[in-house]
């Protein structure tokens, strides 16, 4: 693995504060399309269900999921589907062709298969979801919109994450980091040749996330990937605001996991020191850069 780890810069704009837009999880256009079931949508749904990569999912993708994909196709975010990239307990990720012939990743959460009780642990206490109900579909839709919003905020803060492109109901379109034949590797899968440099980049990204009001909540070598010399933070669906009642517990766990991994790789890393670095006030570190 390369020892050159470039770091993206924060986007210019207003400083982060406590502002959080409430996320709407009510029925959207995809739900209306699914209820209307006009001829164009029915033909699209049948064609998609007949496609090899979707045949196994017919029992877990409801009509509104196909309607969400249909709406994303109509809006130009998806032009053609490729094969599956990964299949998880809660979501499948597919390679697709997006706008201007760019490769994108389409993450489809399976509402009937998702562990919404686990999701609620991260949603409850988040000021963006104060009025979230107990309906399973609503919880999953909230989770997907939360992931999109978290990616946007992380990106503005100067954290290298997959670029969020569009969201519709339980379907998220984002940048495909790498391609299926040359996929980006998780840190757990590679030998880190310069672990100290990589660690310093990761801890700076953790601090930028925290100053943007977010805690990843599940950060480890399994949610950090390397591609073309860049470290990329992924899987921000569970990330919570710093106001979440469990935010400190989640952050300390992230710090332990990250420090333990890099210490095994040979870096000078400690969970408590990492926590202090991440939570330090800007006034304490001057320009806020990595030490």
């Amino acid at each position: 693995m390369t020892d050159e780890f470039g770091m993206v810069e924060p986007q210019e704009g207003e400083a982060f504060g406590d502002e959080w837009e409430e996320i709407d999880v009510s029925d959207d256009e995809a739900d209306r399309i699914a209820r209307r079931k006009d001829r164009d949508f029915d033909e699209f749904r049948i064609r998609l269900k007949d496609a090899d990569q979707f045949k196994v999912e017919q029992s877990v993708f409801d009509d509104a999921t196909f309607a969400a994909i249909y709406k994303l196709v109509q809006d130009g975010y998806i032009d053609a589907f490729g094969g599956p990239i990964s299949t998880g307990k809660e979501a499948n990720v597919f390679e697709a062709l997006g706008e201007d012939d760019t490769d994108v990743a389409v993450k489809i959460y399976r509402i009937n298969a998702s562990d919404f009780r686990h999701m609620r642990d991260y949603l409850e206490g988040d000021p963006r979801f104060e009025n979230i109900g107990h309906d399973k579909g609503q919880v999953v839709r909230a989770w997907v919109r939360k992931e999109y919003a978290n990616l946007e905020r992380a990106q503005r803060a100067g954290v290298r994450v997959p670029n969020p492109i569009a969201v519709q109901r339980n379907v998220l379109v984002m940048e495909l980091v790498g391609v299926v034949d040359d996929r980006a590797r998780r840190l757990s899968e590679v030998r880190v040749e310069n672990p100290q440099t990589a660690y310093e980049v990761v801890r700076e990204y953790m601090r930028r996330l925290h100053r943007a009001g977010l805690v990843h909540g599940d950060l480890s070598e399994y949610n950090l990937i390397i591609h073309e010399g860049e470290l990329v933070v992924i899987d921000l669906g569970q990330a919570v605001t710093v106001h979440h009642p469990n935010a400190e517990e989640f952050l300390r766990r992230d710090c332990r996991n990250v420090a333990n991994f890099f210490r095994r790789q040979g870096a000078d890393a400690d969970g408590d020191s990492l926590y202090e670095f991440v939570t330090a006030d800007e006034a304490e570190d001057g320009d806020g850069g990595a030490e």
Side-chain angles (χ1 to χ4, degrees):
M1 183 170 115
T2 178
D3 59 1
E4 297 295 331
F5 300 106
M7 188 177 296
V8 300
E9 293 299 323
Q11 296 180 11
E12 294 184 2
E14 296 182 1
F16 292 103
D18 288 339
E19 75 290 351
W20 291 100
E21 292 184 8
E22 185 176 346
I23 296 179
D24 183 11
V25 295
S26 58
D27 283 3
D28 58 16
E29 183 60 24
D31 295 285
R32 291 188 283 273
I33 290 171
R35 286 195 296 268
R36 195 165 58 239
K37 289 187 178 178
D38 61 24
R39 185 178 66 181
D40 288 342
F41 168 61
D42 272 343
E43 290 176 354
F44 175 86
R45 178 173 52 84
I46 293 169
R47 187 167 70 250
L48 204 61
K49 282 188 172 184
D50 286 342
D52 287 341
Q53 63 265 50
F54 288 102
K55 283 181 179 177
V56 72
E57 301 300 339
Q58 289 189 30
S59 62
V60 290
F61 284 179
D62 60 11
D63 282 350
T65 297
F66 288 113
I69 300 170
Y70 176 73
K71 184 68 167 59
L72 290 164
V73 170
Q74 281 188 321
D75 292 344
Y77 295 114
I78 301 172
D79 188 55
F81 270 95
I85 297 173
S86 65
T87 301
K89 292 185 296 183
E90 298 174 341
N92 285 9
V93 182
F94 296 89
E95 182 182 25
L97 191 64
E99 193 174 15
D100 298 326
D101 292 332
T102 56
D103 290 325
V104 298
V106 180
K107 189 173 187 178
I108 305 175
Y109 280 88
R110 302 191 299 275
I111 289 178
N112 293 331
S114 294
D115 183 358
F116 82 105
R117 287 173 297 183
H118 161 74
M119 291 178 171
R120 288 196 63 87
D121 290 341
Y122 291 91
L123 292 174
E124 290 179 342
D126 189 317
R128 296 169 292 180
F129 302 97
E130 289 180 351
N131 299 315
I132 189 68
H134 291 269
D135 176 78
K136 189 171 184 178
Q138 192 177 62
V139 170
V140 175
R141 290 197 298 272
W143 185 270
V144 180
R145 290 191 175 276
K146 175 172 177 273
E147 183 167 4
Y148 183 86
N150 288 344
L151 287 169
E152 282 191 317
R153 180 164 280 241
Q155 190 176 61
R156 294 205 318 273
V159 178
R160 179 65 174 98
V161 296
N163 177 43
I165 297 171
V167 62
Q168 186 68 234
R169 200 174 180 268
N170 57 318
V171 182
L172 172 64
V173 182
M174 56 188 166
E175 171 194 2
L176 177 61
V177 182
V179 295
V180 173
D181 292 335
D182 183 26
R183 69 178 178 86
R185 300 287 175 179
R186 299 175 189 269
L187 285 192
S188 60
E189 300 175 307
V190 300
R191 177 177 175 272
V192 183
E193 294 179 1
N194 193 333
Q196 192 65 43
T197 302
Y199 172 63
E200 290 172 3
V201 171
V202 172
R203 71 174 188 164
E204 176 62 22
Y205 282 167
M206 292 176 68
R207 179 157 69 174
R208 290 181 183 183
L209 269 182
H210 192 265
R211 288 179 176 172
L214 286 176
V215 173
H216 187 285
D218 191 28
L219 193 61
S220 71
E221 63 269 28
Y222 300 100
N223 289 322
L224 291 162
I225 60 177
I226 179 73
H227 182 66
E228 295 182 348
E230 283 190 318
L231 282 163
V232 186
V233 182
I234 61 171
D235 294 339
L236 270 77
Q238 76 292 315
V240 300
T241 75
V242 293
H243 307 293
H244 191 283
N246 297 324
E248 182 175 356
E249 175 190 343
F250 292 159
L251 178 58
R252 287 191 179 276
R253 184 177 65 192
D254 285 352
C255 290
R256 286 195 303 271
N257 289 340
V258 169
N260 287 343
F261 169 75
F262 281 106
R263 188 168 60 250
R264 291 195 301 270
Q265 298 289 315
D268 180 12
D270 171 75
D272 291 337
S273 298
L274 177 56
Y275 178 84
E276 292 177 5
F277 177 87
V278 170
T279 57
D281 292 336
E282 292 189 57
E284 295 179 22
D285 54 58
D287 63 5
E291 295 177 357

